[in-house]
Amino acid sequence: MKEMTEAQKKAKELLYEPAYKSDKDAAVRKAAAAFSEGYKDFITRCKTEREVAVYAEKALQDAGYQLYDDRKQYAPGEKVYWIHHKKAVLCATIGTRSMEDGFRLMIAHIDSPRLDIRPNPLYEAAHFSYFKTHYYGGIRKYQWATMPLAIHGVLTRADGSTVTVQVGEDVNDPAFCITDLLPHLSAEQNKRELSDGIRGEELNILIGSDAVEDEEVKERVKLATMMLLNEKYGITEKDFTRAELEIVPATPARDIGFDRSMIGGYGQDDRVDAYPALMAEMEVKNPAYTTVCVLADKEEIGSYGITGMGSTYTYDWLRQLCASQNADPIRAFHNSLCLSADVTAAYDPSWASAFEPQNGTYAGRGVAFFKYTGSRGKSAANDATAEQMGYLTRMMDAADVAWQVGELGRIDLGGGGTVATEVARYGIPVVDIGVPVLSMHSPFEVVSKNDLYMAYRAFSTFAAAQD
Ligand code: MN
Ligand code: MN
């Protein structure tokens, strides 16, 4: 091998060049592919926050977690969980150190952008029946037409009973869709701005076209559809007023690429962080610090509501855990550290002008840490300290976890926030982390298997940290 010149030595020593570390590590790529199998099954089966909560509760019970009881005291190594209003998951492993030394928190969200059915959804037009929808979260509306859709959710009936709905996922199920104009007649629609290509009031779900035979009835197709729903679910039209029905893409997660190095599927924001965080929490044994994993709801609409991170339930739970040890919660919060996990935009060469290449996050380079998120001059950013970034990145280097740093995109083009600011409100130090995603918020998002795996390795390393 040729000897390095002085300048080459200096370049190696002094300059930072982000690398695709997994390119040179076949064992990592193999482990990432294996880890991805469970993940693909998870995002195919869990397309709503409620479905994640059901999945997580079963997995937690299988892993030896007990349902949390606020009158009980838990010993180091014990594992407890709590499901909050069926849509948020809290789970913890009690550490050997006092809780006053702080918690190690991992928080991700399990709601994803989608279409919700409106309170009065059912109508008939031109011998078709439809559901009206109201979109949830930041979607680009034109992306949701002309593709198979499924309906997931619950209805509460007049007698107080609840019925769970999931239709459109099985290949033998019927599916649903939103129609669009044919190119031959789209001259007027083509003049609309892309953001206006399909409007909110045009996101109507096609659900039937058979009519009852009796011509004396006014809305024959609507009634025929309602009769089928009554037969299958025991509901009447009034029960839509007390329902939570979510429209999601009806497609399963798939490997992407000839090399199967990526995963395509719906709802990876933010389940691509939620899944590895949950796996890391479940696997942790006798940690020094009490580890806490929170899978929260409502991030996509601003973390509002009883199951969003703007609610006090997570901090209340931490306080209750402290109380069982007679630990001071303020001291515990101040000594804690939180990884606020949410996806980021992967640099997309087909849309290069939206990014700043030197500060982009790249699919395949590993899990991304963010000092700050936000928009227009870091507005609404948590802006972690240099010390927190240093502590975590040194920890990741020591464990050989591939990581990168960056920003969401070009300055002043847009931006976005995370739950980190909600956590910081309670005096808990917090750093943003996440997996880069292509086509984020679309019905079919793409991630790198290596990044998913590195997110898992990062959470595992963090949860097991001794100091
Ligand atoms: Mn997100
Ligand atoms: Mn999002």
Side-chain angles (χ1 to χ4, degrees), residues 344-393:
T344 179
Y347 179 88
D348 188 336
S350 296
W351 304 99
S353 69
F355 299 88
E356 195 282 283
Q358 193 167 318
N359 285 288
T361 46
Y362 291 75
R365 270 190 193 168
V367 68
F369 281 92
F370 289 85
K371 187 178 185 305
Y372 54 86
T373 60
S375 53
R376 299 173 314 281
K378 300 191 182 182
S379 178
N382 164 60
D383 211 3
T385 67
E387 289 80 2
Q388 291 154 6
M389 292 296 287
Y391 171 77
L392 286 168
T393 52

Side-chain angles (χ1 to χ4, degrees), residues 109 269-270 299-300 342-343 441:
H109 71 89
D269 175 2
D270 182 33
E299 193 280 339
E300 295 296 354
D342 205 346
V343 296
H441 279 209

Side-chain angles (χ1 to χ4, degrees), residues 31 71 89 115 122 161 181 309 327 329-330 336 373 377 386 398 413 417 436:
R71 291 157 304 188
V89 181
L115 307 175
L122 185 60
S161 60
L181 268 178
M309 282 306 293
I330 296 173
S336 291
T373 60
L413 193 61

Side-chain angles (χ1 to χ4, degrees), residues 184-353:
H184 318 66
L185 293 177
S186 62
E188 281 177 9
Q189 188 195 15
N190 286 347
K191 290 188 192 128
R192 295 184 185 179
E193 297 265 341
L194 184 58
S195 59
D196 201 33
I198 291 187
R199 295 173 181 146
E201 294 291 355
E202 292 162 347
L203 292 171
N204 300 314
I205 312 290
L206 183 60
I207 56 169
S209 66
D210 269 352
V212 295
E213 287 180 18
D214 184 350
E215 298 210 3
E216 298 299 302
V217 176
K218 253 214 298 202
E219 296 179 298
R220 296 166 56 217
V221 180
K222 174 176 167 175
L223 179 60
T225 301
M226 197 59 239
M227 283 164 65
L228 281 174
L229 290 169
N230 175 262
E231 195 183 304
K232 188 148 171 47
Y233 302 112
I235 56 166
T236 68
E237 189 181 6
K238 192 176 180 185
D239 293 333
F240 288 119
T241 62
R242 41 193 171 228
E244 263 179 12
L245 295 174
E246 305 178 8
I247 312 288
V248 295
T251 41
R254 307 279 299 268
D255 283 340
I256 297 291
F258 288 113
D259 54 12
R260 298 178 176 271
S261 59
M262 299 165 280
I263 301 162
Y266 165 73
Q268 303 204 69
D269 175 2
D270 182 33
R271 296 179 196 126
V272 73
D273 292 310
Y275 181 80
L278 180 65
M279 292 300 130
E281 160 56 34
M282 288 198 305
E283 285 163 16
V284 75
K285 287 199 173 62
N286 298 310
Y289 297 98
T290 297
T291 59
V292 178
C293 174
V294 182
L295 307 182
D297 181 30
K298 294 284 178 282
E299 193 280 339
E300 295 296 354
I301 58 165
S303 294
Y304 300 106
I306 192 71
T307 48
M309 282 306 293
S311 165
T312 58
Y313 67 95
T314 293
Y315 322 101
D316 290 342
W317 200 53
L318 298 178
R319 287 195 182 99
Q320 287 180 310
L321 287 171
C322 284
S324 72
Q325 273 196 358
N326 288 320
D328 176 42
I330 296 173
R331 194 172 288 173
F333 285 10
H334 289 183
N335 286 330
S336 291
L337 186 57
C338 174
L339 292 181
S340 165
D342 205 346
V343 296
T344 179
Y347 179 88
D348 188 336
S350 296
W351 304 99
S353 69

Side-chain angles (χ1 to χ4, degrees), residues 2-13:
K2 237 175 80 184
E3 205 168 305
M4 283 202 282
T5 65
E6 235 4 77
Q8 283 170 336
K9 276 187 208 156
K10 284 288 173 208
K12 197 169 169 336
E13 185 188 324

